Amino acid sequence: MAKVGTMSYLVPEEQQLESFLKLAGDSKPIELCHLLKFKAVADYSDHPDEIPCSGKEAYHRYLDQAIEYIREHSGKLLYNGDISGLLIGPSTESWDEVLLVSFPNIETVTEMMTSQKYQDIGHHRLAGLEDTRLFTLTARAAN
């Protein structure tokens, strides 16, 4: 399980968001690495008009539209795939999928995430995810 006890992480904590936003003004490219754990059945209780589906399908309803918005904000989907096994790490954790996205800078990420179009698809993400981790990555200079 990706969860520790009964905790799951679907949105950033206030301190995490503040730390992320402090990077604004940095013109360096940024990558976002997502570890995803899906619900067996999507929870659309807040959106009863949505067609029932698996958590993975709900997340991909979100992702199919999010990719369009990522591109509109000069971002790129670098990798999306299933996780087939665990080589190193606690056996109590498991993840279903990994996603790697690149943006030119922090500002383009925040512009996308605060846009109304992006906000309007967020319910699919929340309906489908049981748990997630989102890492911000910055490249080092090559030697």
Side-chain angles (χ1 to χ4, degrees):
M1 293 288 298
K3 294 195 285 187
V4 176
T6 59
M7 296 280 302
S8 67
Y9 300 89
L10 301 179
V11 296
E13 295 174 356
E14 186 174 334
Q15 181 181 7
Q16 293 169 322
L17 187 57
E18 287 173 7
S19 294
F20 178 76
L21 294 174
K22 284 181 184 176
L23 299 174
D26 188 346
S27 61
K28 296 178 193 167
I30 184 168
E31 285 74 41
L32 302 175
C33 179
H34 305 252
L35 297 177
L36 308 168
K37 179 73 176 172
F38 302 117
K39 295 174 183 169
V41 177
D43 179 5
Y44 279 117
S45 55
D46 291 340
H47 293 86
D49 293 339
E50 294 289 349
I51 298 170
C53 63
S54 69
K56 184 172 185 170
E57 185 177 345
Y59 184 82
H60 281 269
R61 289 176 184 175
Y62 155 82
L63 184 59
D64 289 347
Q65 294 177 71
I67 290 170
E68 177 184 326
Y69 306 148
I70 289 166
R71 290 181 181 137
E72 286 177 9
H73 290 85
S74 304
K76 296 177 189 171
L77 175 62
L78 301 176
Y79 181 84
N80 177 226
D82 295 330
I83 295 177
S84 56
L86 177 68
L87 185 59
I88 297 174
S91 60
T92 55
E93 286 191 359
S94 68
W95 300 97
D96 297 316
E97 216 169 279
V98 65
L99 184 72
L100 184 61
V101 181
S102 177
F103 286 93
N105 53 49
I106 295 289
E107 282 78 14
T108 55
V109 177
T110 57
E111 285 172 16
M112 182 194 77
M113 294 174 85
T114 57
S115 73
Q116 189 60 52
K117 284 178 16 177
Y118 182 81
Q119 296 289 317
D120 289 346
I121 63 171
H123 68 284
H124 294 298
R125 179 183 171 278
L126 294 175
L129 286 176
E130 178 179 318
D131 202 1
T132 187
R133 299 294 182 273
L134 176 56
F135 299 93
T136 56
L137 312 173
T138 51
R140 292 188 196 148
N143 291 332

